[in-house]
Amino acid sequence: MALLPILRYPDVRLKKVAAPVEKFDDDIRTLAGNMAETMYEAPGVGLAATQVDVHKQLIVIDVSETKDQLLVLINPQILDEQGLILGEEGCLSVPGIYDKVERAEKVTVRFQDLSGKTQTLKAEGLLAVCIQHEIDHLKGKVFVEYLSMLKQNRIKTKLAKQSRITA
């Protein structure tokens, strides 16, 4: 396995819409494994392929305390949303930035697993929020885009400043 570089907002590659996965082969399994390792190392609870500059519809998620319940969702589609919650979100592509975003409290998602088998999952709470957040990445959307333009500009300025300091 290998750690992958994570794109940082406002990198234009984060805006690219991911293509469906059509081949369920060793390459996609290796990508999922590398993404999981990268997510755990970061540390985070979710990572979309878009964030590592691979524009395929693949996300990895593990919201467990023990970090041993990895979910790999390929070609995910939300079938149903219920309720609304306002919760604080962060993102590995927007390090150090957290803000409140409104999301569905419960979702039903259809996806394919690493063998290509179609599955359905009902999720709520943090898992539901994480699924929505990562699917947004596959659509080229970062959570800060739900915030006001003023906040988005402040975040861009802060991240640019951080980049200059670490460069």
Side-chain angles (χ1 to χ4, degrees), residues 128-148:
V129 167
C130 194
I131 288 169
Q132 293 168 83
H133 177 110
E134 300 308 332
I135 288 176
D136 274 354
H137 277 299
L138 300 180
K139 296 176 180 177
K141 188 169 186 171
V142 179
F143 90 96
V144 296
E145 294 174 45
Y146 287 99
L147 308 177
S148 70

Side-chain angles (χ1 to χ4, degrees), residues 89-147:
E89 290 188 27
C91 180
L92 295 176
S93 290
V94 194
I97 305 295
Y98 301 90
D99 214 317
K100 294 194 181 303
V101 177
E102 191 174 83
R103 302 270 189 192
E105 184 176 17
K106 298 178 183 179
V107 296
T108 302
V109 62
R110 181 176 52 223
F111 65 97
Q112 290 169 282
D113 63 19
L114 285 168
S115 65
K117 183 179 176 204
T118 299
Q119 302 202 26
T120 303
L121 172 70
K122 290 181 184 280
E124 59 184 82
L126 179 58
L127 179 56
V129 167
C130 194
I131 288 169
Q132 293 168 83
H133 177 110
E134 300 308 332
I135 288 176
D136 274 354
H137 277 299
L138 300 180
K139 296 176 180 177
K141 188 169 186 171
V142 179
F143 90 96
V144 296
E145 294 174 45
Y146 287 99
L147 308 177

Side-chain angles (χ1 to χ4, degrees), residues 20 27 35 40 42 70 72 82 96 100 139:
D27 289 344
M35 286 174 57
Y40 288 130
L70 181 68
V72 178
Q82 295 178 1
K100 294 194 181 303
K139 296 176 180 177

Side-chain angles (χ1 to χ4, degrees), residues 17-35:
V17 176
V21 171
E22 295 177 5
K23 287 175 63 177
F24 297 83
D25 56 10
D26 286 342
D27 289 344
I28 206 72
R29 284 184 280 282
T30 298
L31 174 61
N34 290 341
M35 286 174 57

